[in-house]
Each structure stands twice: as structure tokens, then as C-alpha cells.
Amino acid sequence: MDWNRKWVPGIGAVLLILFSHMTSALEVPLDPKVLEGLPQPPTITLQSPKDYIFDPRENIVIHCEAKGKPHPSFSWTRNGTHFDVEKDSKVLMKPGSGTLVIDISGEKAEAYEGTYQCTAHNEHGTAVSNDIVIRQSRSPLWSKERNEAITVQMGVSLVLQCRPPAGLPPPVIFWMDNNFQRLPLDERVSQALNGDLYFSNVLPEDTRSDYICYARFPHTQTIQQKQPISVTVLENSPAGERRPGFMMPLGASSTKMVLRGETLELECIADGLPTPQISWLKDGGELPSSRITFHNFKKTLKISDVNEADGGDYRCTAKNNLGTAHHIIKVVVKAAPFWVSAPRNLILAPNETGILTCRVSGEPKPKISWFVNGVPIENAPEDHSRKVDDDTVILSNVQPGSSAVYQCNASNEFGYLMANAFVSVLAEPPRVLTPSNRVYQVISNSPALLHCASFGSPIPTITWFKDSQTSIKNGDPYVIHENGTLEIHVAQPLNSGKYTCIATNNLGIKENHVYLEVKEPTRILRQPEYKVVQKGMSAMFECKVKHDPSLIPTMIWLKDNGELPDDERFDVDTDSLIIKDVRDDDEGTYTCIMNTTLDQDSASAMLTVVEATPTPAIVYGKPDPPSDLELTDQTERSVQLTWIPGDEHNSPTQNFLIQYEDLLHQPGVWVNLTEVSGTGTTAQLNLSPYVYYSFRVLAKNHVGYSHPSQPSRQYRTNPAAPDENPSDVQAAGTEPNNLVISWTSLTGFQANGPGLEYKVLWRQKDVDQEWSSRTVANVSQFVVTETPTYMPYEIKVQALNDYGNGPEPEVAIGYSGEDTPLSAPESVQVMVHNSTLAEVHWEPVSYTSVRGKLQGYKVYYHRERGLHETETEETEQEKQVLTFSGNRTEGRLPGLQPYSLYNLFIRVLNSKDEGPPSPGKKFETPEGVPGPPAFLNVVNHGLDSLTLEWGAPLSINGRLAGYTLKYQPVNNTNELGPVKVMNFLANETTITLGNLNSSMLYKLYLSAKTIKGSGPIATEEAFTVMDTTRTQPTVETGKGPTEPPHPTSPITQSPHPPFHKVPPVGPAFGTVNTSVSEDGAVINWEYFGHHKNVYVEYIVENSKEDWKKELVNGSHSHMIKGLKPGTSYRVRVVARDPADPTVHITDEVLVTVPAVPSRQVDIATQGWFIGLMCAIALLILVLLIVCFIKRNKGGKYPVKEKEDAHQDPEIQPMKEDDGTFGEYSDTEDHKPLKGSRTPSNGTVRRDESDDSLVDYGEGGDGQFNEDGSFIGQYSGKKEKDTHEGNESSEAPSPVNAMNSFV
């Protein structure tokens, strides 16, 4: 065979059957029992890729697997000639397979390179594989070269070339340094696709001697290294800034070819200073955002899965602040051959016709070649039933024995495709492959698929029957697929039953029975809720489920999507999970899963564990809306609604509110229909005819209502006659001769159907006559004319529509229109009860004269004048009206004015108007008590008298008989004195009251009187004036004796004020006296005021601060405490009253607080000081004696000599120039130098010669040997700290001892 083109694997791994005469195909059954005995040409099922690069360290394995009946045999060609596998001991073909295993160990692998092809053959045909090109992977060494050191000026561009050796496959390139660290890449430094390293501009930090290019070869996992390149960047003459220019690609434009389906890689690298930014766009189009990626800091543009639309001009732009550069890359998209429709295997019955198609595309257009059993079709044995037309082979009237494998080869300059497709000629009666009596179970409202897998040649025809009687045709709700499967789109319980499928062809018939059971879905009605539980408490998650009773449910609980811990604290019940004694590690997500054999439902909730205290506040919220609304048990007037409750958010659901929307009559308006208790999840809803219902449910807890659920599906009810008649039927006349009948119309929802009308019926009540009627539409009232005035009528309104009349309507009573009454009330009489109340009586009018509904009677009355006035003074006042409802004959007139003349008349009243007035009736009211005096004034205040004036009452209400005056005194404690009474004649309006107390408040009460008694009183208060007048003085204190007074003796001064006239009325102050003591300043005053708040106010003299005040009500003396000695204060007494704006203030008094004298004491004369000094002297004497004794006990020890030989290095010699001492260390006891004086701080230092055992540890840790020598000469501190023994380190100086007590 001449295979000039490359071949590709066939895609016909699965056998197909041609079902119709031409192109219908049917899948070949995989059931071994069916396949057994059926002949089948070979089919390649597995082969190696076209390009096979092998690793020389491993065996070469070339795959070739095929199936067929009988099982095919295999052979190979290499480089176009037969490859005898058995003659090469290094080559092994796997048993029952065509796969070759070539052992190349110890052999030259190059010997097995070449192009291989596998052939699978049996008696029904021959299938061939692709051409498989076998090549050895290679990783050649880098050619030796010497890299010259590169020296460049700062700012110029630079390219370091890599030029790796060509490998198979090509290597992966990267740059590193001597430490195997990748070189950093950025917008300035980048690696091109060919591996070269580009610098847009160099900087001093680019100087290095180890720029190394590495090449990694994937197959052999080896890495080759180029010799290091040294780069030195000079800074003596740096390049200046410049516009961008392209380093790659060069020129203004370039061309790039890419194959369809591959990845397009476009690259632009620019130089410039500053470093340019790269951007991309496509001229005349947009970049494919879903397939585009940018790399290498946008210098590389990649487009994956290239198609023809990706061809065009791509513009690369480099830009810096000095300018812009452009480069256009013209992209041309070519295409290796690709399948549009590959040939498919055919199984044909004798005398049938089949078609093989090989439709491919590519650029340039591929050439198609056909082969039969691996032989070019033009060289194959002639077959008159076969016709080749470019990409199509037509096989007509095929006969047994003409089975073969056809190959289609499509190729162009970029590649090829090859596919095998067999044609098998069979004659087989029908077989039904689906097991008989199979039971299909599905969930309601889900699709149901009933299979009838069949096999036969010719392809059998499938028909279906339900319950062995009803023939099923294509159409809602059934669909019969080409493979015989019956599909029910939305299975309902009524679809359950027995189904029969029959497979038929010209060689026989076969039937099979299957059964369908439609089950109710599994739903979680109450989901577990989020829990916050204290540690140590119990947590319970509910999971209540509804499922089909014929399905066995299985409840599974998970924690964090894993199994529950194996712990007895977890108690799983049928519908709940209880976790006892909750711990921290119990926190997580708990999921309940209810499984049946057909479906499942699941729900999850979080458990949060908190510390036992403090108890966290439970967060309450509105419930979540219900979900999964379903309508079942549907009838004309009812339906059952089912839902799943939402999360309650810690507040139990109280009830569910069901609403409906009438999409026909009131779309968008939701109406409350009914409520269901919070534990229910279903509701039987009563429906009305001719409504397009949609339902929704709201849940309510104590927080409020949830959001509405999603609406249910629409449910329509059929029209019917009305169920009710209009409501609120009324009749009333608007004119004397009409009757207006009105009603509340039915809504569209209540109409029950189209063509709604109203039948209006009426007749006069208690009159033997037939009903009058009229049918109207689209109105809510009807007017009956020519009616008698105000007569009762019986009325009815009945609803009707196109489907019938509503129920028999109820009778309502109404009256025709009213007219103005004809008669006036008669026999009007008035009975006066007292000066302000009268009662009126009248005879009612006749019923017929009312001419309407009697509403009552109106009494009009007005006051003409007072009886004390003459008729010429008569001034008519505004009329007053009182209405007495109903059929009344009397009424009372309250609020009359005494001693007056009144006139009245009466009218009858109906709903339309008032009747004529009755004749006028006059009556008089008797005298009453008068009103209060118009005014009461005190016009003169004397020492013992008050002069009063008053005015007559504005309302005398009769004949004025006189006045009564009462008055009484009020003392300073608001106590009332005895009452005195005086009477006056009616013409008296002034009086002077004598013999009163001076400076006294009096309360006055005045009333007028008639023969009926005294009226209301007028009151007043007034003061008599004081019997003497005084001024308030300014008193100065503190300018007294040179010697201070005794502390307990108050300083008292009596002012001598000049006299002045006191105001005749109101509060007044008398004498103000002051005195000063150690405790404060005492203020005394006289005050004759009443009902006032009295304060003592004071302020430092010449100060601008606010006055300080102290409340002193009920007192005439006050002590001001806390005054500063030696300071003068201004003091005054103030009287205020919240009800009176007048403020009474005394003149200011100047009070000076004397300074406190100094109390220094001569301490030398104090006994306690003398005793203290004696004790100190005695203590000093004791200390001197002790020091003397210790001094005499000490001798010269060798240690002292050593000390003399080793002078303290910290002791500095005396400076020769100024005779002062040098610096000395302060780290130990400050031992004085020889001849030094006692320091100024009183510390006396011991002379160097004054040595003592104390200095070397006596009384401390020092010990003696047996010979009496001292053991620890230098074992301890040389000098004790001062706090460890002052008596040994201090000289016996009285001054020092004295200072120690200071």
C-alpha cells in the first residue's frame, strides 16, 4: 500500500447502526449475549500518537489495539515496508494485541527510528492505524565558545544571546547566576521567547560576571549550561533619555503564521530611556478577552485556541515620556485538516442503501482520499453497488458478503486526518435488550424514561402501549425517541401503570413489558436551625421529613460533611439529633440527609458553642419565607396547598397567612385568604369560579411577618353563575317623586363569570301589585320615577352572568323622596322653673303633614331685653336654637339670663326641610343673684386706715339691694386674723376703713346682692404704712483698735442713719446691724414684708464677681461663715417673690473681717525642747565611751602593714598646683586621706593609721587559726558599708554625733 499521506486515529470506537434506508444510525448493543455470533469487521480502539519521542533509557512501546468478530490479527510496516516482528529478538508483540514492545537496552536506539503503521485484519475487513513516527529524544551539549566581556555605557540597550543547542523536543530556557538564583526580570529586563536576554536600558546594578543561560531538556531531564557572560556598565558617559525603539521584532511590521487550534504568541521588546511601557490592540477589531493572556510584563501576547477570526493586524505600542513607537504584526491563520463530520460505522440489512460521509475543513482546503481495507479505492476490486463522490461513498442494495472497512484520508500541507468506518451487512430479527417486567420508579414532577433498547437488521420499529390497550403517540406528555425510549416530561401519579413496547422489522416482532411507579418527593418540612449553645448544655436539631410511604427512608447525620463522632453523647432519633453535654469541639455544621432509593433532601445548620457565662442574648428575627409551594387535590372549588416552612430564627411560628392574586381581575393585588396554625404545612383552600389563582404564604412569629414566599403555579377555575348578590342594597328618594335604589357592586372575583348584570326589582309596600324590574350592567344604582311622596317600597337586586342567575335576593325596605312639612306645632306653653331654666311644651303635628321621616322639632328663642330696661332700650340678641330629636312634645331651655324677657317659636323637622313656625310665645325669667363687683381698688393707704372704691356688677340679674364687705389682717407668719363684716347700700361705692394696725397686710372681700342673695366676691390685699421711717445705713468695720480684740468678743456697731420717707405700700426693711466674730459675720435686720423670699447677699469689696446669696426665709438674723480674714465685704438683704416682679433691696453694708495675728513661740523656752536636747547629749556621751573602748582594743596587725604597702589605688595624691585633692572613687566607704578635714556634710573620715578588726571582719565572717593569725585577711570587704557600723568607721566627734540626729 502506498501511504503518501499521514493518518490519524479513527474515532469510531463505538459501533453504530444505520436505522433508516440512508443515514439513520443505531448504536450496536454491548450486551455480550447479543454480540455473540454477530460478525463485525475490525475497529482500531487504541493506538500511539502520530509523533512518538522515546527516552533511550526505556523500552519503546507502540500501541495498537483492535476489536472485531472474529478477533483480528495484526501486522506492521516500517518506513513503508513489511516489518517482520518475529525475526527481531528485541521486538515483542503482545498476545491478542498488536502492541509492540522494543527492548533497546544494549542496542543503538537510532536503529528503531522510523515510521510505523499497524494493520488489524479479519475475514470481514482490514483496519489500519495512523502513521506513527518514532524518534529518539536528544539533549546535545552546548558548542564550546568563548564569550567576550561586554562593556557598555549606562542607559544604552543590550541583548545577551543564548543560542541553545537544538534538542528533541526543544529545551526550556532560563537565566541564572553562579549561585543558581534566577535573574530578576521586570519591565526593563526581559527574556524573549527564543531565550535571549534583553535590556531596554542598562543600569550600574546590571554589572556582573555571571550571566548564565541554562537549557533544560524535558525528556532526558538534563540541563546544559552556557559559558558565563560578563557585563560591565560604565557611568563616565551615560546615554541620555531617548524615544522608544523596537529591539524585537525589527522594522515597522512583520508577519506571523499560526495554525487553527494552536496558541498564538506575539512578542514586542523595546528599548528606550525611561523604560517604555508596552500595549497591544488589534486594528479593526477587538482582542478576544476570554482567550487572551499577557506575559513578560505585557511584552508577550498569547491567544489560545486560535480560529480564523483571530487573523489580522496586531499593533504593538511602546511608549515613554519622550514619544511612542509602533510595530504591526500581520497574523495569518492557516488550518490543518479538522473534522466537520467523520465517517460512522454502518450496519445494513441486505438490499438497504447506506452513505459514508467524510467532511473536513482546513486552510488550504484538504484533499480527500478513500481506501477500502487499506487499499486505495481506485485499486480495490470493482463493486457496482459503490459510488464515490468526493467526500461521500454511496452503497446501494448491499448484499451479504460485502462487508468491508473504509478509510478516509484528508490532508494538506499542514497535516492529515484519517478515520476507519466499517460497513457490515446483517439480517437479524428484532431483539428487545431491556429486561422484561422492569419496574421504573420516579419522583412526581420529574422526567420518566422507559427504555426499549432493541437490536435487529433492518432496524426495528418501536411502538408503545399503556396498560396493554392505549396506543401512545408522540406528543404531550409523551416523547418517543429514535432509540425507542419513551419519555414522560413531567411524570404524575396518574402516569403510573404497565407499559408495553413492541419492536418490529421484516424478519419478526418482539414485545416487552415494563412498569412505571410515580412516587411523592422527599421533602424536609422542618429544617435544623442555627444554634448557639452554652458549654455543658444540650443542643437539639430537628429534621422533620415528608416522603412517599412506599419508599424506605434512611436518615443520615453528618458533622462538617463527615461522620458523626462515635460518642454516646450524640443521640440520633427518627427526626432529630440531640447532642448532650456540649463541648467546644462539637462546634461545626450539622447536616441531615434523608435518602430514599429515588431521591434525597438535605439541610444544614451551624452549632456555635459559647462559654456557660455570661449567657448570650438570643437574637430573635422574623421567620424566613416558606418555600416549595405545591398544589394537589385539585377540584372546581378547592385545592390543597402544601409548603415547607422557613427558618424560625429563635421565635416559633405562630401562624401562616395565605394570600392569593387574581391574575384575571386584579393582577398585582394580593388578598388575604386564610390563616393556618404555625404547626401546619398544608391548607385546604376554597376557591371561586372564573379566577386565575396564584398563591403565596407568609409566616408570622412574635417579631413579625416574613417576606412572602415565591408564588405558586397558576390555577384557573371554570366560570359559573354568581354565588352571591350585591350587598348594601338601599333605597331612598332624592326628590319628592323618585326612589333611588343603590347597591355595592360585585367585584370581578365575585362575578364568577363573564357578562355580569344586575336585575333590580321594586314594588310599593303593603300594596297588592306585581314586582317591577329592570336589568342593568356596569352601574351601582337605579332611579325609579313617578313615585308618591315618602312611601315605603320593597326592593331587591339580583346578580346574573352568562352562566346563570345568582341566589334569590333578600328584600330591603326603602322610602321614596320627602317634601317640606305642611304644619306647625300648636298649643305652645312655657313653664319657667328658675331664673336660668324654662320648660316648653307643644302639640305635635300630624304624621301626614310631616311628608317625610320625622327628625324632631327645633325651638328658636332669643332674649329681647332685661326687665329693668324699658322697651325703648330693647336690644334684640342673637337667636338660639335647640333641636329635640324624635316625636317630642316638650323640651328644656337652660342657660337663660335672669330677670329678662324672652320670645320663642317652634318648627317641625324632617330629612328634607323644616316646616312653618308656630306663633311666637313670650315669657319672663325671675331675678337671680348678681355678678361680682366690676372692680375693687384700694385708693389710699394710711397708718391705720385703707380707702376702698368699687364698681357695680356688670350683670345685676335683678334689683340691686346693696354690698357686703369683709376684711381681716394677715401677720408675718401668714396667719389670718378675725373677720369684720360691713354692709352698704346699692348706691354706695366707696369706704374708708379705720382703726387698722400699721404696717399690716389686710385681705378684702366684696360682694353685691339682690333679693335672691349675694353674688360672687371680688378680693384684694393691701398694706397699711409703717409708723416710723428709717434708712438702711452703710456700716464700716475693721478700723478699730491697734490691739486685736479677744477672739470671742463680737465687734458691734450701731449705725445712726438719717430719716427718710418709707414707700406707702409694700415690703420694707428696718434697721440693719452687723457684728464680726471668729466664726463669721452676723447680720440682723427688720423686715415687714409678706410672702417673699429673703436672701443675704455678699461680695468682696471692689470685686466684679457675681453676688453670693444665702436663703434666710422666716428669720431676721443670719451668720455668714467662711469669710477670709483681713478682707472687706459688701453685704445687703434682698426680698424677692416669683409672683411679683418687684425686688426690695437694702442699702449695702461694708463688713471687714479682722486679720488673725501671728502665733510664733520661742522654742527655746519650751519644756519639751529642753528635754529632747538632754536626751541627745546623754546618747552622744554613751557613743564616745564605746568608741574609745573599741579603739584601744585594736592593735597593729600584719594586715595593716599590707594595707600600707598596697595603698588604695582610688586615692589620688594632692594636686601640687592648687593644694586641692584629686578625684576619688565613690564605690566603697569614702575613706579620707591623711590630713583631710571633716567634709562639709559632717561625715568624719578615719585616719589611715586608725586600724581595727572591724575593718577586716570582726563581728562578721573573719576567723582566727590556732596560732592566733587571722584567716580571712582579705576574704571580706576591706571597708564596711556605712550602714553596717557607723560606730567603727566614724571618728569620735561630737559634731558628727550631733549631725547624725539631724
Side-chain angles (χ1 to χ4, degrees), residues 1121-1150:
K1121 297 182 179 180
L1123 301 180
K1124 187 176 179 181
T1127 306
S1128 296
Y1129 291 87
R1130 291 153 51 199
V1131 182
R1132 68 187 184 187
V1133 185
V1134 180
R1136 291 186 179 90
D1137 196 329
D1140 186 356
T1142 304
V1143 179
H1144 301 278
I1145 306 174
T1146 68
D1147 290 338
E1148 298 175 7
V1149 179
L1150 186 65

mmCIF file of all heavy atoms in Angstrom, residues 1121-1150:
data_model
loop_
_atom_site.group_PDB
_atom_site.id
_atom_site.type_symbol
_atom_site.label_atom_id
_atom_site.label_comp_id
_atom_site.label_asym_id
_atom_site.label_seq_id
_atom_site.Cartn_x
_atom_site.Cartn_y
_atom_site.Cartn_z
ATOM 1 N N LYS A 1121 -20.625 82.492 107.120
ATOM 2 C CA LYS A 1121 -19.413 81.763 107.517
ATOM 3 C C LYS A 1121 -18.454 81.676 106.340
ATOM 4 O O LYS A 1121 -18.826 81.854 105.193
ATOM 5 C CB LYS A 1121 -19.772 80.369 108.011
ATOM 6 C CG LYS A 1121 -20.645 80.365 109.256
ATOM 7 C CD LYS A 1121 -20.916 78.929 109.717
ATOM 8 C CE LYS A 1121 -21.779 78.920 110.973
ATOM 9 N NZ LYS A 1121 -22.046 77.541 111.441
ATOM 10 N N GLY A 1122 -17.202 81.344 106.672
ATOM 11 C CA GLY A 1122 -16.217 81.099 105.621
ATOM 12 C C GLY A 1122 -15.637 82.347 105.021
ATOM 13 O O GLY A 1122 -15.085 82.295 103.908
ATOM 14 N N LEU A 1123 -15.756 83.511 105.699
ATOM 15 C CA LEU A 1123 -15.183 84.743 105.175
ATOM 16 C C LEU A 1123 -13.683 84.757 105.411
ATOM 17 O O LEU A 1123 -13.175 84.227 106.411
ATOM 18 C CB LEU A 1123 -15.839 85.959 105.827
ATOM 19 C CG LEU A 1123 -17.368 86.055 105.639
ATOM 20 C CD1 LEU A 1123 -17.913 87.304 106.328
ATOM 21 C CD2 LEU A 1123 -17.718 86.062 104.155
ATOM 22 N N LYS A 1124 -12.936 85.384 104.511
ATOM 23 C CA LYS A 1124 -11.473 85.396 104.568
ATOM 24 C C LYS A 1124 -10.998 86.491 105.516
ATOM 25 O O LYS A 1124 -11.408 87.662 105.372
ATOM 26 C CB LYS A 1124 -10.925 85.635 103.162
ATOM 27 C CG LYS A 1124 -9.419 85.498 103.076
ATOM 28 C CD LYS A 1124 -8.981 85.648 101.614
ATOM 29 C CE LYS A 1124 -7.472 85.526 101.526
ATOM 30 N NZ LYS A 1124 -7.004 85.686 100.122
ATOM 31 N N PRO A 1125 -10.166 86.166 106.488
ATOM 32 C CA PRO A 1125 -9.680 87.194 107.427
ATOM 33 C C PRO A 1125 -8.943 88.299 106.685
ATOM 34 O O PRO A 1125 -8.260 88.062 105.681
ATOM 35 C CB PRO A 1125 -8.743 86.419 108.363
ATOM 36 C CG PRO A 1125 -9.206 84.993 108.251
ATOM 37 C CD PRO A 1125 -9.680 84.826 106.858
ATOM 38 N N GLY A 1126 -9.087 89.510 107.202
ATOM 39 C CA GLY A 1126 -8.409 90.650 106.602
ATOM 40 C C GLY A 1126 -9.064 91.150 105.340
ATOM 41 O O GLY A 1126 -8.442 91.921 104.602
ATOM 42 N N THR A 1127 -10.285 90.739 105.022
ATOM 43 C CA THR A 1127 -10.961 91.106 103.780
ATOM 44 C C THR A 1127 -12.246 91.852 104.100
ATOM 45 O O THR A 1127 -12.963 91.507 105.061
ATOM 46 C CB THR A 1127 -11.290 89.855 102.954
ATOM 47 O OG1 THR A 1127 -10.102 89.108 102.764
ATOM 48 C CG2 THR A 1127 -11.872 90.237 101.602
ATOM 49 N N SER A 1128 -12.566 92.876 103.273
ATOM 50 C CA SER A 1128 -13.800 93.639 103.443
ATOM 51 C C SER A 1128 -14.848 93.130 102.473
ATOM 52 O O SER A 1128 -14.537 92.824 101.308
ATOM 53 C CB SER A 1128 -13.539 95.134 103.198
ATOM 54 O OG SER A 1128 -12.652 95.647 104.178
ATOM 55 N N TYR A 1129 -16.110 93.045 102.905
ATOM 56 C CA TYR A 1129 -17.203 92.530 102.104
ATOM 57 C C TYR A 1129 -18.332 93.552 102.060
ATOM 58 O O TYR A 1129 -18.610 94.248 103.055
ATOM 59 C CB TYR A 1129 -17.751 91.220 102.675
ATOM 60 C CG TYR A 1129 -16.797 90.060 102.544
ATOM 61 C CD1 TYR A 1129 -15.837 89.807 103.526
ATOM 62 C CD2 TYR A 1129 -16.865 89.189 101.430
ATOM 63 C CE1 TYR A 1129 -14.962 88.755 103.410
ATOM 64 C CE2 TYR A 1129 -15.994 88.117 101.319
ATOM 65 C CZ TYR A 1129 -15.043 87.899 102.295
ATOM 66 O OH TYR A 1129 -14.194 86.844 102.157
ATOM 67 N N ARG A 1130 -19.020 93.644 100.930
ATOM 68 C CA ARG A 1130 -20.254 94.405 100.794
ATOM 69 C C ARG A 1130 -21.411 93.436 101.016
ATOM 70 O O ARG A 1130 -21.482 92.386 100.366
ATOM 71 C CB ARG A 1130 -20.357 95.030 99.418
ATOM 72 C CG ARG A 1130 -19.346 96.140 99.207
ATOM 73 C CD ARG A 1130 -18.963 96.333 97.753
ATOM 74 N NE ARG A 1130 -20.133 96.462 96.902
ATOM 75 C CZ ARG A 1130 -20.093 96.272 95.582
ATOM 76 N NH1 ARG A 1130 -18.975 95.935 94.983
ATOM 77 N NH2 ARG A 1130 -21.198 96.414 94.861
ATOM 78 N N VAL A 1131 -22.356 93.803 101.933
ATOM 79 C CA VAL A 1131 -23.444 92.914 102.315
ATOM 80 C C VAL A 1131 -24.757 93.673 102.137
ATOM 81 O O VAL A 1131 -24.826 94.884 102.416
ATOM 82 C CB VAL A 1131 -23.301 92.420 103.773
ATOM 83 C CG1 VAL A 1131 -24.431 91.454 104.120
ATOM 84 C CG2 VAL A 1131 -21.952 91.750 103.970
ATOM 85 N N ARG A 1132 -25.806 92.953 101.659
ATOM 86 C CA ARG A 1132 -27.132 93.528 101.527
ATOM 87 C C ARG A 1132 -28.168 92.447 101.744
ATOM 88 O O ARG A 1132 -27.883 91.261 101.650
ATOM 89 C CB ARG A 1132 -27.333 94.171 100.161
ATOM 90 C CG ARG A 1132 -27.355 93.158 99.019
ATOM 91 C CD ARG A 1132 -27.379 93.867 97.687
ATOM 92 N NE ARG A 1132 -27.490 92.903 96.590
ATOM 93 C CZ ARG A 1132 -27.391 93.229 95.290
ATOM 94 N NH1 ARG A 1132 -27.159 94.489 94.936
ATOM 95 N NH2 ARG A 1132 -27.501 92.306 94.352
ATOM 96 N N VAL A 1133 -29.421 92.877 102.078
ATOM 97 C CA VAL A 1133 -30.538 91.946 102.255
ATOM 98 C C VAL A 1133 -31.525 92.210 101.130
ATOM 99 O O VAL A 1133 -31.860 93.370 100.852
ATOM 100 C CB VAL A 1133 -31.197 92.095 103.632
ATOM 101 C CG1 VAL A 1133 -32.272 91.024 103.817
ATOM 102 C CG2 VAL A 1133 -30.156 92.015 104.735
ATOM 103 N N VAL A 1134 -32.001 91.120 100.493
ATOM 104 C CA VAL A 1134 -32.838 91.235 99.298
ATOM 105 C C VAL A 1134 -34.095 90.411 99.506
ATOM 106 O O VAL A 1134 -34.031 89.286 100.034
ATOM 107 C CB VAL A 1134 -32.085 90.755 98.040
ATOM 108 C CG1 VAL A 1134 -32.977 90.897 96.816
ATOM 109 C CG2 VAL A 1134 -30.806 91.552 97.853
ATOM 110 N N ALA A 1135 -35.255 90.975 99.104
ATOM 111 C CA ALA A 1135 -36.531 90.251 99.155
ATOM 112 C C ALA A 1135 -37.064 90.108 97.731
ATOM 113 O O ALA A 1135 -37.166 91.104 97.001
ATOM 114 C CB ALA A 1135 -37.535 90.984 100.049
ATOM 115 N N ARG A 1136 -37.402 88.888 97.345
ATOM 116 C CA ARG A 1136 -37.938 88.629 96.006
ATOM 117 C C ARG A 1136 -39.175 87.748 96.147
ATOM 118 O O ARG A 1136 -39.315 87.007 97.106
ATOM 119 C CB ARG A 1136 -36.925 87.885 95.128
ATOM 120 C CG ARG A 1136 -35.710 88.684 94.734
ATOM 121 C CD ARG A 1136 -34.855 87.880 93.738
ATOM 122 N NE ARG A 1136 -33.679 88.614 93.308
ATOM 123 C CZ ARG A 1136 -32.509 88.568 93.911
ATOM 124 N NH1 ARG A 1136 -32.375 87.815 94.993
ATOM 125 N NH2 ARG A 1136 -31.488 89.263 93.452
ATOM 126 N N ASP A 1137 -40.074 87.828 95.156
ATOM 127 C CA ASP A 1137 -41.253 86.964 95.109
ATOM 128 C C ASP A 1137 -41.461 86.531 93.662
ATOM 129 O O ASP A 1137 -41.543 87.384 92.764
ATOM 130 C CB ASP A 1137 -42.488 87.703 95.605
ATOM 131 C CG ASP A 1137 -43.608 86.725 95.932
ATOM 132 O OD1 ASP A 1137 -43.675 85.658 95.267
ATOM 133 O OD2 ASP A 1137 -44.395 87.016 96.843
ATOM 134 N N PRO A 1138 -41.537 85.193 93.384
ATOM 135 C CA PRO A 1138 -41.704 84.750 91.990
ATOM 136 C C PRO A 1138 -42.947 85.329 91.341
ATOM 137 O O PRO A 1138 -42.990 85.500 90.133
ATOM 138 C CB PRO A 1138 -41.798 83.223 92.113
ATOM 139 C CG PRO A 1138 -41.135 82.895 93.405
ATOM 140 C CD PRO A 1138 -41.404 84.054 94.314
ATOM 141 N N ALA A 1139 -44.007 85.608 92.109
ATOM 142 C CA ALA A 1139 -45.253 86.107 91.528
ATOM 143 C C ALA A 1139 -45.263 87.626 91.395
ATOM 144 O O ALA A 1139 -46.221 88.190 90.876
ATOM 145 C CB ALA A 1139 -46.439 85.653 92.367
ATOM 146 N N ASP A 1140 -44.232 88.296 91.917
ATOM 147 C CA ASP A 1140 -44.218 89.760 91.916
ATOM 148 C C ASP A 1140 -42.893 90.222 91.340
ATOM 149 O O ASP A 1140 -41.820 89.843 91.846
ATOM 150 C CB ASP A 1140 -44.371 90.278 93.356
ATOM 151 C CG ASP A 1140 -44.507 91.803 93.376
ATOM 152 O OD1 ASP A 1140 -44.403 92.417 92.298
ATOM 153 O OD2 ASP A 1140 -44.705 92.343 94.467
ATOM 154 N N PRO A 1141 -42.895 91.001 90.268
ATOM 155 C CA PRO A 1141 -41.626 91.432 89.668
ATOM 156 C C PRO A 1141 -40.861 92.428 90.536
ATOM 157 O O PRO A 1141 -39.688 92.689 90.277
ATOM 158 C CB PRO A 1141 -42.072 92.072 88.341
ATOM 159 C CG PRO A 1141 -43.474 92.498 88.566
ATOM 160 C CD PRO A 1141 -44.073 91.495 89.526
ATOM 161 N N THR A 1142 -41.515 92.980 91.575
ATOM 162 C CA THR A 1142 -40.837 93.982 92.409
ATOM 163 C C THR A 1142 -39.793 93.307 93.281
ATOM 164 O O THR A 1142 -40.068 92.275 93.913
ATOM 165 C CB THR A 1142 -41.859 94.712 93.290
ATOM 166 O OG1 THR A 1142 -42.863 95.271 92.455
ATOM 167 C CG2 THR A 1142 -41.185 95.815 94.096
ATOM 168 N N VAL A 1143 -38.582 93.876 93.355
ATOM 169 C CA VAL A 1143 -37.490 93.374 94.195
ATOM 170 C C VAL A 1143 -37.139 94.463 95.204
ATOM 171 O O VAL A 1143 -36.935 95.632 94.834
ATOM 172 C CB VAL A 1143 -36.245 93.009 93.345
ATOM 173 C CG1 VAL A 1143 -35.126 92.518 94.252
ATOM 174 C CG2 VAL A 1143 -36.605 91.957 92.317
ATOM 175 N N HIS A 1144 -37.101 94.114 96.504
ATOM 176 C CA HIS A 1144 -36.779 95.054 97.579
ATOM 177 C C HIS A 1144 -35.377 94.768 98.068
ATOM 178 O O HIS A 1144 -35.062 93.633 98.446
ATOM 179 C CB HIS A 1144 -37.788 94.908 98.721
ATOM 180 C CG HIS A 1144 -39.208 95.160 98.272
ATOM 181 N ND1 HIS A 1144 -39.749 96.419 98.146
ATOM 182 C CD2 HIS A 1144 -40.182 94.274 97.883
ATOM 183 C CE1 HIS A 1144 -40.998 96.308 97.718
ATOM 184 N NE2 HIS A 1144 -41.284 95.025 97.542
ATOM 185 N N ILE A 1145 -34.511 95.782 98.075
ATOM 186 C CA ILE A 1145 -33.100 95.622 98.413
ATOM 187 C C ILE A 1145 -32.716 96.689 99.420
ATOM 188 O O ILE A 1145 -33.045 97.885 99.261
ATOM 189 C CB ILE A 1145 -32.203 95.736 97.166
ATOM 190 C CG1 ILE A 1145 -32.646 94.750 96.076
ATOM 191 C CG2 ILE A 1145 -30.744 95.509 97.515
ATOM 192 C CD1 ILE A 1145 -31.897 94.903 94.778
ATOM 193 N N THR A 1146 -32.009 96.295 100.497
ATOM 194 C CA THR A 1146 -31.475 97.274 101.440
ATOM 195 C C THR A 1146 -30.239 97.931 100.853
ATOM 196 O O THR A 1146 -29.674 97.440 99.859
ATOM 197 C CB THR A 1146 -31.107 96.586 102.769
ATOM 198 O OG1 THR A 1146 -29.988 95.732 102.534
ATOM 199 C CG2 THR A 1146 -32.263 95.763 103.313
ATOM 200 N N ASP A 1147 -29.826 99.024 101.463
ATOM 201 C CA ASP A 1147 -28.531 99.588 101.091
ATOM 202 C C ASP A 1147 -27.430 98.634 101.527
ATOM 203 O O ASP A 1147 -27.616 97.802 102.433
ATOM 204 C CB ASP A 1147 -28.338 100.960 101.768
ATOM 205 C CG ASP A 1147 -29.266 101.999 101.156
ATOM 206 O OD1 ASP A 1147 -29.700 101.777 99.985
ATOM 207 O OD2 ASP A 1147 -29.555 103.000 101.819
ATOM 208 N N GLU A 1148 -26.275 98.753 100.891
ATOM 209 C CA GLU A 1148 -25.172 97.842 101.181
ATOM 210 C C GLU A 1148 -24.487 98.204 102.488
ATOM 211 O O GLU A 1148 -24.344 99.382 102.825
ATOM 212 C CB GLU A 1148 -24.159 97.863 100.036
ATOM 213 C CG GLU A 1148 -24.751 97.386 98.718
ATOM 214 C CD GLU A 1148 -23.765 97.523 97.574
ATOM 215 O OE1 GLU A 1148 -22.598 97.859 97.852
ATOM 216 O OE2 GLU A 1148 -24.180 97.308 96.411
ATOM 217 N N VAL A 1149 -24.038 97.181 103.231
ATOM 218 C CA VAL A 1149 -23.299 97.345 104.481
ATOM 219 C C VAL A 1149 -21.893 96.826 104.242
ATOM 220 O O VAL A 1149 -21.722 95.733 103.674
ATOM 221 C CB VAL A 1149 -23.971 96.566 105.633
ATOM 222 C CG1 VAL A 1149 -23.169 96.719 106.920
ATOM 223 C CG2 VAL A 1149 -25.384 97.059 105.829
ATOM 224 N N LEU A 1150 -20.864 97.581 104.656
ATOM 225 C CA LEU A 1150 -19.475 97.158 104.489
ATOM 226 C C LEU A 1150 -19.024 96.468 105.763
ATOM 227 O O LEU A 1150 -19.044 97.051 106.841
ATOM 228 C CB LEU A 1150 -18.578 98.358 104.175
ATOM 229 C CG LEU A 1150 -17.129 97.998 103.848
ATOM 230 C CD1 LEU A 1150 -17.065 97.195 102.564
ATOM 231 C CD2 LEU A 1150 -16.291 99.273 103.693
#
